[in-house]
Amino acid sequence: LLQPPKGAVLAVATDTLVEGVHFMKGLPPSPLGWKALAVNLSDLAAMGAEPAFALLNLTLPDGRASVVDEFMRGFEALAQSHRVALVGGDTTQGPLAVTVTVIGYVPKGEALRREGARIGDDLWVTGTLGDAAGALALWRGGTPMLRTGGLRERMDRPIPRVGAGRVLRGIAHCCIDVSDGLLADLGHLLDAAGLGADLDAGALPASSALVGAFPAREQRLPLQLTGGDDYELLFTAHPRQRAEIERALAAVATPVTRIGSIVPGSVVRLLDDGGNELPVPPRAGWEHFRGTSA
Amino acid sequence: LLQPPKGAVLAVATDTLVEGVHFMKGLPPSPLGWKALAVNLSDLAAMGAEPAFALLNLTLPDGRASVVDEFMRGFEALAQSHRVALVGGDTTQGPLAVTVTVIGYVPKGEALRREGARIGDDLWVTGTLGDAAGALALWRGGTPMLRTGGLRERMDRPIPRVGAGRVLRGIAHCCIDVSDGLLADLGHLLDAAGLGADLDAGALPASSALVGAFPAREQRLPLQLTGGDDYELLFTAHPRQRAEIERALAAVATPVTRIGSIVPGSVVRLLDDGGNELPVPPRAGWEHFRGTSA
C-alpha cells in the first residue's frame, strides 16, 4: 500500500524479457536482474518520472531456483541506487522469463512525452550509442563475450538515465529512450509530431571502447543508428536552451550531445561533415537474440 | 500518467500464468484473458481496493499472434465491467505466458490486510468453494471438460469479489482471497495472527453444480478445503457484525456464509454437525496443471 506524493501523477512501465529472445541463454542471473529493472527505469526516465516501486515476476524452469539469489543481487543493486522498493510479484515455474513493472511519480503537468517536437528544435542524445550492438557484433563475429570488455558491460548493465530525465522536465519538448535503435526511436518522436530530422553523422557519440573495436566510422555508424539496447535519452529542445541543457545534464553527471535538428517533412536525412547526404539504413528495430545462445 | 484520487493509497497486485503450469494447454484464449485479470482483481478485492489500471505482458510463441484478439476479448470483458483501463504492457515472443499487473486505490487507513484476526471472531467466506477443483477432478477422472458445466465456468472465468472487498472495509478484521485452497489461505490469516480456527464442515458453502457432481459430502469436502482457484474472500469479523455483514454483502449481490470462528492456539479443527472432530487434510496449496494438457 503505497502513498503517492501530493500533486504527483503516476508513471508506469512494464517489460518482459524472455531467455533466447531478449537475452542470451547463459546470461548470468545477476546482470539479468539488473537489466530487467534497468529497461523499465529507462522508460520512466524518458517520462521524467522518479521511480518509487517495482514488482517482479520471475518464471524459472524446474531446478533453476538457485539462480534467484544471484538474480536478486543484480536487481537489488540497481533498485537500491534509485531507492526503488520491491513491493510485490511472484515466482512461477516455467521457461525462464522475467517481467518487471515499475511505478514512479512525476509532478502533474511536467511529464515528458513522445509528442511535442517542433521545427527548428535541436535533437540531443545522452551518453554514447552503439556499445551493446558492438558487443553483439563482435560476438557474432566469433569474439568470446568475455573479450568484448566495456561493450558487453553496456549490454548487460545499462544505466537508466533517471537523473537526466528529471532535469529535462520543463526543458525538453519531447523525449524517448533509445531501446530499439536511434533511427527506430527517433522515428517514434517524428511520427508523433509529423516531422522529419537532419542527423549529423559525425556528431553521433561513440564510446572509446566502440571506437577501439570498430575504428572505421562506416563500421560504427550502423551500430549507432540501428543497434538498440542503448537506453540513452533522445530528446528535442529549443536552440536557446543549449547552455541550460549542458548545465543541467552536467549537474547529474550525464554526457549529452547535439546530433541534429527537427525539420519539416517526414524524412530522416543523414549528413556528413560536409553536409552531404549519406545512405540511411532501414530503421529496423533491435534484432534481439532470437534462437541463439552464448 | 495516472492521477490518484485525493487521500488514496495505491494497492498493487501482479501474477504470472504459464501454459501447462497455471492453465492447461488448449485453454481457449478468451477465458485465459479473463482469468489473468481476474486473479489480480481478486487480490485487490482482498485489500478492499478499487481497481483502476492494468498492465498486460503477453508472451506468445511464433505463429500464435492470432490468439491476441480473442485473448483481449476475455480481458476487456472483465476490465470493462470494473472500469479498469489498460495503460501499458508489451507483447513478446516466447513460450505462452501472461503477466497482469493491476493498480487500485483504497482510502488511506482503510485497506483490508491479512493481519488482524482476533479470538472469538467469526470466520466468513463469500460464494461457494470447490467448484474449480471439482471441474479438475472430473476431468482427471475422464470426464471431458466440456461436460463439467458450471464447474468449469468457475475455473475458467472466476468472478473477483471487488464489491464485497469494498463494503468489508471497516468491518472485516482481516481478509484474504482463496486462491490456494481454503486451508492454505486460512493458514495465512492464522499465521499472521498467531491463532487457530474451528471450521464447521457442514457450513462450507457448495454450489448446486458441485453437489450434483459430488453428492457425497466426503467427496466434496477435500475439494472445498484444499482445491483452490475459488477466488472467494475469506475474512473474520466481530460476532456483533453479523447482521451488518449480511446486509452489506446482500447490497453487492454477494452470497456470504459463516463457516467457523477464531480460537486460541495455532490449530485448525474441522468439526461435524455434532461437534466431533473430522480429520483435516494437509493444507497443501493448489496443484495447478503441471505437465498436463486438455
Side-chain angles (χ1 to χ4, degrees):
Chain A
L1 293 156
L2 323 169
Q3 174 93 56
K6 223 168 168 165
V9 296
L10 303 184
V12 294
T14 187
D15 208 62
T16 297
L17 304 179
V18 179
E19 185 180 52
V21 180
H22 306 93
F23 59 93
M24 285 181 284
K25 285 186 206 295
L27 177 64
S30 173
L32 176 58
W34 174 288
K35 187 165 183 172
L37 179 58
V39 300
N40 284 292
L41 294 184
S42 181
D43 274 334
L44 288 195
M47 298 184 232
E50 203 66 59
F53 305 105
L55 299 140
L56 168 63
N57 305 84
L58 191 55
T59 303
L60 292 169
D62 263 341
R64 295 283 292 274
S66 61
V67 309
V68 173
D69 283 356
E70 220 209 301
F71 179 94
M72 289 311 299
R73 239 192 313 278
F75 185 95
E76 290 287 355
L78 183 59
Q80 282 164 18
S81 76
H82 291 284
R83 297 202 200 99
V84 170
L86 181 61
V87 296
D90 63 359
T91 306
T92 52
Q93 189 268 325
L96 184 60
V98 53
T99 298
V100 172
T101 304
V102 291
I103 301 172
Y105 300 116
V106 60
K108 193 173 174 182
E110 296 189 22
L112 302 175
R113 300 170 180 272
R114 292 183 177 192
E115 303 77 27
R118 300 174 206 170
I119 293 168
D121 273 3
D122 293 329
L123 182 66
W124 298 82
V125 71
T126 59
T128 60
L129 297 168
D131 284 355
L136 195 63
L138 287 180
W139 168 77
R140 286 193 167 133
T143 305
M145 263 294 172
L146 283 174
R147 296 196 39 217
T148 60
L151 298 182
R152 176 174 192 166
E153 188 65 13
R154 275 294 299 279
M155 184 168 68
D156 285 353
R157 295 188 193 265
I159 306 287
R161 297 295 194 183
V162 173
R166 185 177 57 235
V167 300
L168 287 171
R169 289 181 208 149
I171 298 176
H173 288 163
C174 62
C175 186
I176 195 169
D177 70 320
V178 182
S179 54
D180 292 335
L182 178 66
L183 288 176
D185 291 307
L186 173 59
H188 295 309
L189 296 184
L190 297 177
D191 291 348
L195 292 172
D198 284 353
L199 269 183
D200 179 356
L204 297 182
S207 69
S208 54
L210 190 71
V211 175
F214 301 92
R217 201 170 77 187
E218 59 271 25
Q219 289 179 295
R220 290 198 303 271
L221 212 46
L223 302 173
Q224 296 181 283
L225 289 169
T226 64
D229 250 7
D230 296 303
Y231 304 104
E232 298 293 352
L233 296 187
L234 178 71
F235 60 97
T236 80
H238 195 281
R240 73 171 164 258
Q241 298 278 24
R242 285 176 192 173
E244 175 64 10
I245 285 168
E246 286 173 350
R247 191 204 55 75
L249 292 211
V252 292
T254 305
V256 66
T257 309
R258 195 152 43 84
I259 60 170
S261 57
I262 302 299
V263 300
S266 60
V267 171
V268 174
R269 295 195 310 163
L270 185 63
L271 304 174
D272 70 12
D273 298 346
N276 306 305
E277 269 196 67
L278 300 172
V280 176
R283 74 187 210 192
W286 190 216
E287 296 173 41
H288 298 303
F289 301 98
R290 194 178 301 252
T292 62
S293 65
Chain B
L1 294 155
L2 324 169
Q3 174 94 55
K6 221 166 170 170
V9 295
L10 303 184
V12 293
T14 187
D15 208 63
T16 296
L17 303 180
V18 179
E19 185 180 51
V21 180
H22 305 92
F23 59 93
M24 287 180 283
K25 285 185 205 297
L27 178 65
S30 173
L32 177 59
W34 175 288
K35 187 165 182 172
L37 179 58
V39 301
N40 284 292
L41 294 184
S42 181
D43 274 334
L44 288 195
M47 300 185 232
E50 205 66 60
F53 305 104
L55 300 138
L56 169 63
N57 305 84
L58 191 55
T59 303
L60 292 169
D62 263 342
R64 295 282 293 275
S66 61
V67 308
V68 172
D69 283 356
E70 222 210 298
F71 178 95
M72 289 311 299
R73 240 191 314 277
F75 185 96
E76 291 286 356
L78 183 60
Q80 282 164 17
S81 77
H82 291 283
R83 297 201 199 100
V84 170
L86 181 61
V87 296
D90 63 0
T91 306
T92 52
Q93 189 268 325
L96 183 59
V98 53
T99 297
V100 172
T101 305
V102 290
I103 301 173
Y105 300 116
V106 60
K108 193 173 175 183
E110 295 188 24
L112 302 175
R113 299 171 180 271
R114 292 184 176 190
E115 302 78 27
R118 299 175 206 166
I119 293 168
D121 274 2
D122 292 330
L123 183 65
W124 298 81
V125 72
T126 60
T128 61
L129 297 168
D131 283 356
L136 195 63
L138 287 180
W139 168 76
R140 286 195 167 132
T143 305
M145 265 294 172
L146 283 175
R147 297 197 38 218
T148 61
L151 299 181
R152 177 175 190 164
E153 189 65 13
R154 275 293 301 277
M155 184 168 69
D156 285 353
R157 296 191 192 262
I159 306 287
R161 297 297 193 182
V162 173
R166 184 177 59 236
V167 300
L168 287 170
R169 292 182 206 149
I171 298 176
H173 289 163
C174 62
C175 188
I176 195 168
D177 71 319
V178 182
S179 55
D180 292 335
L182 178 66
L183 289 176
D185 291 308
L186 174 58
H188 295 309
L189 296 184
L190 297 177
D191 291 349
L195 292 172
D198 284 352
L199 271 182
D200 180 357
L204 296 182
S207 69
S208 54
L210 190 70
V211 175
F214 301 93
R217 199 169 80 189
E218 58 270 25
Q219 288 179 297
R220 291 198 303 271
L221 212 46
L223 302 172
Q224 296 181 282
L225 290 168
T226 66
D229 251 7
D230 296 304
Y231 304 104
E232 298 293 352
L233 296 187
L234 178 71
F235 61 97
T236 80
H238 194 281
R240 73 172 162 257
Q241 299 276 24
R242 285 177 192 171
E244 175 64 10
I245 286 167
E246 287 173 350
R247 192 203 55 74
L249 293 209
V252 290
T254 305
V256 66
T257 309
R258 196 152 44 84
I259 60 170
S261 56
I262 302 299
V263 299
S266 60
V267 172
V268 174
R269 294 194 311 165
L270 186 63
L271 304 174
D272 71 12
D273 297 347
N276 306 304
E277 269 196 69
L278 299 173
V280 177
R283 73 187 211 192
W286 190 215
E287 297 173 40
H288 299 303
F289 301 97
R290 192 179 303 252
T292 61
S293 65

